[in-house]
Amino acid sequence: MDLSFSLEKARKIAFDFFGINAEVKRLPGYDDANFALTTYTGTKFILKIAKDADGLHMHQFQQAMLDHLQAANLPIDLPEYVNNIHGETECLLTSEENNSKHLVRLLRWVDGRIWAHVNPKTSALREGLGKKAGAIASALKNFDHPQAHWTSDWDLANAAWTEEHLGLFGDKDAATIAHFQKEYRTQLPVYDKLPKSVIHNDINDFNILVDHNLIDPEVTGIIDFGDAMHTQTINDLAILLAYAIMDVPDPLAAACDVIRGYHHACPLQASEIRCLYALVGMRLVTTVTKAAIRRASGETDPYYFVSEQPAWDVLRKWQEVHPELARYSFREACGWQAHPKHEQFSQWAAQKTIALSDLFPSEPKESIHRLDLSPSSTWLGTTQQNNDLARFEYEIDRLRATHPNCLVAGGYLEPRPLYTAASYDKEGNSGPESRTVHLGVDFWLPSGTPVHALFDAEVVTATNDAGYKEYGGLVILRHRENDLEFFTLHGHLSVASLDHISVGDRLKKGDRIGYLGTPEENGHWAPHLHFQVMLSMLGYEVDFPGVAYPDEAGIWRGICPDPNLLFKQEHLNPVALTSNNDILAFREDHLGRGLSISYQTPLHIVRGDGAFLIDPWGRSYLDTVNNVNHVGHQHHDVVMAGQRQMGVLNTNTRYLHEEIVHYAEALLAKLPEELSVLHFVNSGSEANELAIRMAKTVTGGNDMMAIEIGYHGNTNAVMEVSSYKFDGKGGQGKPGNTHILPLPDPFRGIHPGADSGPDYAIYAKDIVENLKSQGKDLAGFIGESIISCGGQIMPPKDYFKEVYRHVRAAGGVCIADEVQTGFGRVGSHYWAFELHDVVPDIVTMGKPAGNAHPLAIVACTREIAETFNTGMEFFNTFGGNPVSCAIGRTVMEVVDREGLQRNAQEVGGFLKSEFIRLQKEFRIIGDVRGTGLFLGFELVDSEKKPLAAHAAYLANRMRDLGILMSTDGPDYNVLKIKPPMVFTAENAKELIFRLNQVFAEDFMQSY
């Protein structure tokens, strides 16, 4: 590049040749000198000055190509040449310094963000990129030009030239490059016959433009056709993939996103797909080889090395992908069966009659009882029950005894929550993923059951090494039926079985393979055979995957056909999952329209486990908002307490029962001695309803005081004191006997500052005096100890102390709503009201008390209880029943035994400190507040204006990454953190890691 072209000279060239007076900014370029021009009216252009004048014919080719594409009316913005003052699109410039000649061109600016700088690059964006690039490739199939037939090192048809430069690399890097060069050579006989056309030939991450919509962006432009040429059409996609899969954890999945869109716009051939893996690798090899050559020659311009490190990163990941798996994945992305012989196998199997007794001659049974081990299975029980392998085996034995004429079996394509080892997990392009989808059928039979070959076979694997080291013996057989080759896998055999079988052995149909292993040989699992069919070994020699990632289920279904194609048993057929759309449609037709759903893409949740919720495919979502499940989703001890008591008795409190006494004693031991009388109900709404009724009864007053944006439940009386509801959408405004105190928000409230408690409390005094002037008595005040729907607001110092003083001076009752904050959640104390150094007259509890079981409590002073006892009986059919009390008592025992209050303090303290650290890095976080595991952070701009859209974006993006968050506050700009109390330090670190990831995204940076 002739660096003598200064900004001033470029400005003069633009004016002299094109009559444009503009500001000039230098742009990077590989060979040309490139400048961005902006006129004083805001119109933008790109000025390109070639290093010589030899490119005139190529320019004419590029102009003809762009004219052809413009005529095709493609749904994408493309460069367009601008005529000079003589009405021509090309100009020749003679340099005054050295008399060199240069080709000058001007193009209209194509607006957009450069792909390389877009964050995040989602699956939808990649698919959209594929569609746009495919549309260009399709339109160019009927275009040609004499100058398109030129040669270049960047033409993948010539990529073998890189073999001459292996010496530039160290042994490890050279081996990586040689891997792809060998694969490329292998594909050349097919590749040389592939269809050709003119292609862009350089759709890299700096030539792709994305619109300015930061939430659901789309590719809007593709630029720089300077490397276009006539070559194999598939090269276009290969080059696109090489750059589109950079900087992602799973490049194969990212490639499939692009291919899905590309094939939609430009249909691919199977032979092209066959070569694609090698071509992607060779484009990356070309990139790193070119960089190495330039470095060796002393080049230092960073522009020439911009893609080198990302290319190496992808090359190393791409090398880990088996070429066959890549090809099958590409086929599935095109909507074809992943394996090209899947249909042939299905047709062959349809003609066969295989009896179950052919596999198990000692078990002459020809019927199946299907065992459901999916996440939604009630047979599985709690996680602790799942991990109790002795119980698991006992339950299997019971099933076999209950169904003596059936084989207990199932599992093909069944998602399972049982695979919890780290080896089943990976970082996907949308957060963590787990292998959960079972690829074979499990037959649950006694250990020692002989297993026989279904077809003539050759032994290709006989081992107890690799992945099956702790799971008994593994035997894989190869079968050949005419030109069809397939494999059958037999896992969980006894180790002794391998003493009689070796790789290379030939078996006849009916020959014994081995025997089912004992639980000790199979990781203590109940004895069973894992039987799987494969159409390829994918390079495996001593192992083969038996479980797949849900997003790859379609690929593996094509590689591993349904074993029931052989057996044809109705109860072995995979069970289809109910679609989200079907569930949504029913809800819309038959459930109340006010029933809301979280997230833009709703979640279908079928199982809980500690701090996680699990969908039908076994994906786990870290739950940061569900304080209802106080000691964790489906805590084993709580579940068992309820089951045991339900199996004995569940009735009302008209009968004497010790369980209510035991639970009451546990509660009273945690409460101040002033609160010595308990009433049991079923929900927080009911508890607050009763508390308000008590206040009105014992005072004779009818007026209640509450806090702005407070929420206390969904029954009539509590709705009347819930500003969050009656001042919100669909609300009918404040009732006449309700009096609202301003939200005591020390960050954005009317009295900012940590010492503003008395300033906010004075409004209680004003209300009391106003009621007194009207001759009315105040019944009481109800307030959440930390205001949840108001945005996790921690009222400032002395707020409650002063409000209580004013209320009690007026004869009113002080009610502390601990429905969300009680039972140790705040860490330093068991109840949140203790943070404020006050003792309420009434405390209400709900949600966490029963760990999602309907249980709530009202605790009050003896004086209130006695005054409330007017002779009208208080009775609640289910309040205080033995099952609820057993569950509630167990929840409290778990909190103490597992140190969950201390955990809330330690993990919550860590989280709060990390939120404060994030606040320093990301100024969008205006305030961090709360204590223990009841935290919140508020998103605002520099003027403290709420950023609700950013909060919603954050919650939805975190959901995509496997973490459940929710917004709150009057402006919905607060992210609330109130997870199950079993939330660990590791959970907290994962939350912070993902928050860092999302806060760095374009939309979160746009406020």
Side-chain angles (χ1 to χ4, degrees):
M1 183 191 308
D2 189 343
L3 298 179
S4 64
F5 291 109
S6 65
L7 296 181
E8 184 57 38
K9 184 167 288 188
R11 182 182 293 109
K12 187 175 186 304
I13 290 171
F15 183 77
D16 291 347
F17 284 82
F18 297 94
I20 292 176
N21 191 5
E23 293 183 357
V24 181
K25 179 181 178 182
R26 189 180 298 278
L27 297 174
Y30 204 80
D31 290 316
D32 296 346
N34 297 322
F35 301 90
L37 309 181
T38 305
T39 69
Y40 297 106
T41 60
T43 306
K44 299 182 72 174
F45 303 91
I46 292 181
L47 179 68
K48 300 176 75 70
I49 306 174
K51 63 182 179 180
D52 52 44
D54 295 339
L56 179 58
H57 296 303
M58 290 300 293
H59 163 70
Q60 292 170 346
F61 154 49
Q62 292 165 26
Q63 182 176 355
M65 176 173 50
L66 288 171
D67 289 345
H68 174 83
L69 291 173
Q70 292 290 350
N73 293 317
L74 300 179
I76 192 165
D77 292 334
L78 300 171
E80 182 180 351
Y81 285 104
V82 178
N83 289 337
N84 61 20
I85 57 177
H86 302 296
E88 300 169 337
T89 58
E90 68 272 353
C91 318
L92 288 178
L93 168 71
T94 302
S95 172
E96 298 175 357
E97 286 78 3
N98 55 18
N99 208 37
S100 60
K101 294 186 181 300
H102 305 271
L103 179 65
V104 178
R105 292 155 293 165
L106 188 72
L107 296 95
R108 298 195 186 279
W109 182 270
V110 180
D111 191 37
R113 298 177 291 146
I114 294 173
W115 176 274
H117 300 156
V118 172
N119 181 20
K121 300 180 184 77
T122 63
S123 175
L125 183 61
R126 285 189 289 269
E127 185 171 343
L129 168 62
K131 288 180 180 178
K132 298 298 176 66
I136 292 174
S138 181
L140 288 175
K141 284 185 176 181
N142 61 354
F143 170 80
D144 204 353
H145 192 278
Q147 297 303 319
H149 299 258
W150 61 291
T151 60
S152 167
D153 286 348
W154 292 100
D155 183 359
L156 286 174
N158 303 327
W161 70 266
T162 59
E163 295 174 359
E164 303 170 9
H165 300 277
L166 268 180
L168 293 172
F169 304 96
D171 291 346
K172 182 178 179 182
D173 290 344
T176 296
I177 290 173
H179 165 81
F180 291 105
Q181 290 170 338
K182 179 182 178 181
E183 183 68 21
Y184 174 76
R185 287 283 187 187
T186 301
Q187 299 303 326
L188 278 178
V190 176
Y191 175 73
D192 287 341
K193 299 175 183 177
L194 294 181
K196 296 182 178 182
S197 63
V198 173
I199 65 169
H200 182 289
N201 203 48
D202 192 24
I203 306 181
N204 65 51
D205 47 347
F206 286 87
N207 288 337
I208 303 164
L209 299 177
V210 178
D211 65 18
H212 297 283
N213 183 348
L214 303 183
I215 295 181
D216 294 308
E218 293 184 9
V219 171
T220 54
I222 290 178
I223 59 174
D224 195 354
F225 285 72
D227 292 298
M229 62 167 41
H230 189 275
T231 185
Q232 276 81 354
T233 307
I234 193 61
N235 293 356
D236 184 64
L237 176 57
I239 293 164
L240 172 63
L241 290 180
Y243 297 96
I245 65 177
M246 287 180 173
D247 302 318
V248 295
D250 188 343
L252 180 58
C256 290
D257 291 336
V258 178
I259 292 168
R260 198 169 291 112
Y262 196 97
H263 179 69
H264 176 82
C266 182
L268 300 166
Q269 297 180 10
S271 54
E272 293 177 307
I273 287 293
R274 179 179 179 84
C275 300
L276 192 53
Y277 169 82
L279 294 173
V280 172
M282 286 307 292
R283 174 62 180 208
L284 296 164
V285 166
T286 302
T287 298
V288 299
T289 303
K290 280 285 189 181
I293 293 171
R294 287 187 176 273
R295 184 173 285 104
S297 69
E299 180 64 67
T300 59
D301 187 342
Y303 180 76
Y304 294 116
F305 307 101
V306 66
S307 296
E308 182 184 23
Q309 189 56 52
W312 272 118
D313 292 342
V314 178
L315 267 175
R316 294 184 181 109
K317 291 180 181 178
W318 204 238
Q319 186 181 7
E320 295 173 2
V321 177
H322 193 275
E324 279 190 66
L325 179 60
R327 286 194 281 273
Y328 301 152
S329 300
F330 299 160
R331 287 177 56 88
E332 199 271 340
C334 291
W336 309 331
Q337 273 290 357
H339 198 286
K341 293 209 170 181
H342 187 280
E343 185 59 31
Q344 182 182 352
F345 175 83
S346 299
Q347 292 175 0
W348 172 83
Q351 300 170 18
K352 296 292 178 182
T353 302
I354 308 297
L356 294 171
S357 56
D358 291 341
L359 189 60
F360 306 110
S362 65
E363 295 282 340
K365 301 169 184 176
E366 294 301 335
S367 298
I368 292 292
H369 176 76
R370 182 176 175 273
L371 175 59
D372 180 7
L373 296 179
S374 69
S376 60
S377 170
T378 56
W379 187 90
L380 277 176
T382 67
T383 300
Q384 186 168 328
Q385 288 173 316
N386 300 343
N387 294 332
D388 183 346
L389 298 177
R391 171 196 171 272
F392 193 95
E393 184 175 8
Y394 169 75
E395 294 294 343
I396 291 287
D397 289 342
R398 285 184 60 193
L399 269 184
R400 286 206 302 266
T402 306
H403 304 278
N405 298 319
C406 298
L407 290 181
V408 176
Y412 180 65
L413 293 187
E414 180 179 73
R416 293 177 172 178
L418 304 170
Y419 308 111
T420 56
S423 58
Y424 288 97
D425 299 334
K426 73 171 183 179
E427 178 68 12
N429 297 336
S430 296
E433 297 178 7
S434 297
R435 285 192 294 147
T436 60
V437 180
H438 194 251
L439 297 176
V441 171
D442 287 334
F443 295 94
W444 304 88
L445 291 159
S447 59
T449 300
V451 179
H452 291 244
L454 294 178
F455 313 101
D456 293 352
E458 175 192 358
V459 179
V460 296
T461 294
T463 182
N464 67 329
D465 293 327
Y468 278 77
K469 189 171 184 179
E470 296 181 358
Y471 298 98
L474 168 69
V475 173
I476 300 177
L477 306 179
R478 175 190 285 116
H479 311 281
R480 288 191 173 93
E481 299 285 340
N482 298 322
D483 65 336
L484 177 65
E485 178 182 85
F486 66 96
F487 304 82
T488 54
L489 180 151
H490 311 77
H492 303 291
L493 302 176
S494 68
V495 175
S497 299
L498 304 178
D499 294 338
H500 309 288
I501 195 167
S502 302
V503 172
D505 287 353
R506 299 282 179 170
L507 301 180
K508 290 291 186 181
K509 176 181 177 180
D511 285 352
R512 187 178 66 244
I513 300 168
Y515 301 90
L516 293 189
T518 64
E520 290 72 24
E521 293 176 297
N522 290 289
H524 296 281
W525 275 80
H528 67 287
L529 175 72
H530 174 94
F531 180 77
Q532 187 169 325
V533 178
M534 299 95 74
L535 298 177
S536 169
M537 284 293 290
L538 298 176
Y540 287 93
E541 295 180 355
V542 294
D543 195 6
F544 196 87
V547 188
Y549 295 99
D551 287 346
E552 299 174 359
I555 299 162
W556 286 97
R557 181 173 58 239
I559 299 170
C560 301
D562 185 353
N564 199 36
L565 291 171
L566 301 172
F567 303 115
K568 303 172 181 63
Q569 290 283 329
E570 178 184 356
H571 296 294
L572 271 185
N573 291 327
V575 177
L577 299 178
T578 305
S579 74
N580 284 8
N581 288 339
D582 288 344
I583 297 174
L584 281 170
F586 185 90
R587 285 172 62 114
E588 290 174 0
D589 282 349
H590 301 291
L591 301 186
R593 295 299 177 90
L595 197 62
S596 64
I597 297 175
S598 298
Y599 308 110
Q600 290 175 347
T601 303
L603 280 174
H604 181 187
I605 297 298
V606 297
R607 176 171 287 270
D609 182 11
F612 292 90
L613 290 171
I614 302 172
D615 74 8
W617 287 102
R619 183 178 187 186
S620 296
Y621 293 85
L622 183 60
D623 185 357
T624 74
V625 293
N626 206 325
N627 63 322
V628 178
N629 292 85
H630 191 63
V631 297
H633 294 283
Q634 316 322 118
H635 192 288
H636 176 77
D637 292 355
V638 176
V639 172
M640 291 300 102
Q643 285 184 356
R644 283 192 299 267
Q645 184 57 53
M646 189 172 290
V648 177
L649 174 69
N650 193 25
T651 187
N652 59 54
T653 54
R654 295 190 190 276
Y655 305 97
L656 298 181
H657 196 279
E658 290 183 345
E659 194 58 65
I660 194 171
V661 174
H662 296 326
Y663 184 37
E665 287 175 337
L667 283 166
L668 293 171
K670 298 292 188 181
L671 287 164
E673 62 181 12
E674 293 92 334
L675 300 169
S676 59
V677 181
L678 306 175
H679 294 73
F680 294 97
V681 291
N682 304 297
S683 69
S685 296
E686 216 178 332
N688 283 325
E689 182 95 9
L690 177 59
I692 292 171
R693 180 180 155 198
M694 284 179 167
K696 292 181 177 180
T697 299
V698 302
T699 64
N702 191 45
D703 287 72
M704 289 293 300
M705 192 185 300
I707 299 174
E708 183 183 14
I709 321 297
Y711 176 63
H712 303 284
N714 59 18
T715 57
N716 284 344
V718 293
M719 287 282 280
E720 290 179 354
V721 294
S722 296
S723 164
Y724 177 73
K725 287 296 186 181
F726 62 63
D727 283 335
K729 185 177 181 180
Q732 298 181 1
K734 181 180 71 66
N737 64 334
T738 298
H739 309 278
I740 295 301
L741 301 175
L743 183 66
D745 179 0
F747 176 62
R748 278 203 308 128
I750 56 177
H751 299 295
D755 298 321
S756 58
D759 296 328
Y760 280 111
I762 199 69
Y763 294 94
K765 182 180 180 183
D766 293 343
I767 290 171
V768 166
E769 291 178 350
N770 184 50
L771 287 173
K772 187 176 181 180
S773 69
Q774 299 178 49
K776 295 180 178 180
D777 293 324
L778 178 68
F781 160 74
I782 185 169
E784 298 168 278
S785 302
I786 303 176
I787 302 159
S788 57
C789 292
Q792 310 295 93
I793 299 294
M794 175 73 79
K797 182 182 177 183
D798 292 334
Y799 173 73
F800 279 111
K801 191 175 286 187
E802 287 296 300
V803 170
Y804 278 27
R805 184 171 65 84
H806 296 312
V807 170
R808 284 171 172 160
V813 170
C814 295
I815 304 169
D817 182 339
E818 291 276 337
V819 169
Q820 297 204 48
T821 55
F823 298 94
R825 175 164 292 280
V826 297
S828 58
H829 298 82
Y830 205 79
W831 310 105
F833 65 75
E834 296 174 299
L835 295 168
H836 308 293
D837 193 25
V838 295
V839 177
D841 303 303
I842 301 175
V843 174
T844 59
M845 304 157 238
K847 297 180 189 292
N851 207 51
H853 178 83
L855 169 64
I857 307 99
V858 178
C860 65
T861 65
R862 187 167 301 280
E863 179 186 4
I864 287 178
E866 290 176 353
T867 308
F868 180 64
N869 184 19
T870 61
M872 178 187 293
E873 178 190 20
F874 171 77
F875 176 71
N876 188 300
T877 301
F878 298 108
N881 70 76
V883 172
S884 297
C885 289
I887 287 172
R889 176 176 53 80
T890 305
V891 168
M892 296 182 70
E893 289 174 353
V894 169
V895 170
D896 290 345
R897 184 175 63 250
E898 297 185 6
L900 297 185
Q901 184 177 341
R902 183 181 67 253
N903 184 70
Q905 186 169 16
E906 293 174 355
V907 175
F910 168 77
L911 275 174
K912 190 170 183 179
S913 67
E914 286 296 294
F915 292 156
I916 291 171
R917 182 189 60 78
L918 287 173
Q919 183 184 26
K920 294 175 181 177
E921 183 177 356
F922 302 106
R923 295 297 182 181
I924 191 174
I925 304 176
D927 190 39
V928 175
R929 49 185 176 251
T931 186
L933 286 177
F934 201 88
L935 302 170
F937 56 85
E938 184 164 5
L939 305 186
V940 295
D941 65 12
S942 58
E943 298 178 349
K944 289 190 177 181
K945 293 179 181 177
L947 296 173
H950 291 74
Y953 176 90
L954 178 65
N956 280 287
R957 281 292 294 140
M958 291 291 282
R959 172 247 186 255
D960 294 341
L961 296 172
I963 295 184
L964 304 183
M965 301 188 74
S966 185
T967 61
D968 227 329
D971 298 302
Y972 299 99
N973 66 318
V974 179
L975 278 300
K976 55 187 177 183
I977 312 294
K978 45 184 183 179
M981 294 271 281
V982 292
F983 205 78
T984 66
E986 288 303 310
N987 298 151
K989 290 174 184 176
E990 172 72 4
L991 170 60
I992 298 300
F993 175 78
R994 299 299 173 187
L995 284 172
N996 264 298
Q997 186 175 342
V998 177
F999 273 122
E1001 293 181 357
D1002 296 337
F1003 184 74
M1004 296 302 293
Q1005 296 285 311
S1006 67
Y1007 61 98

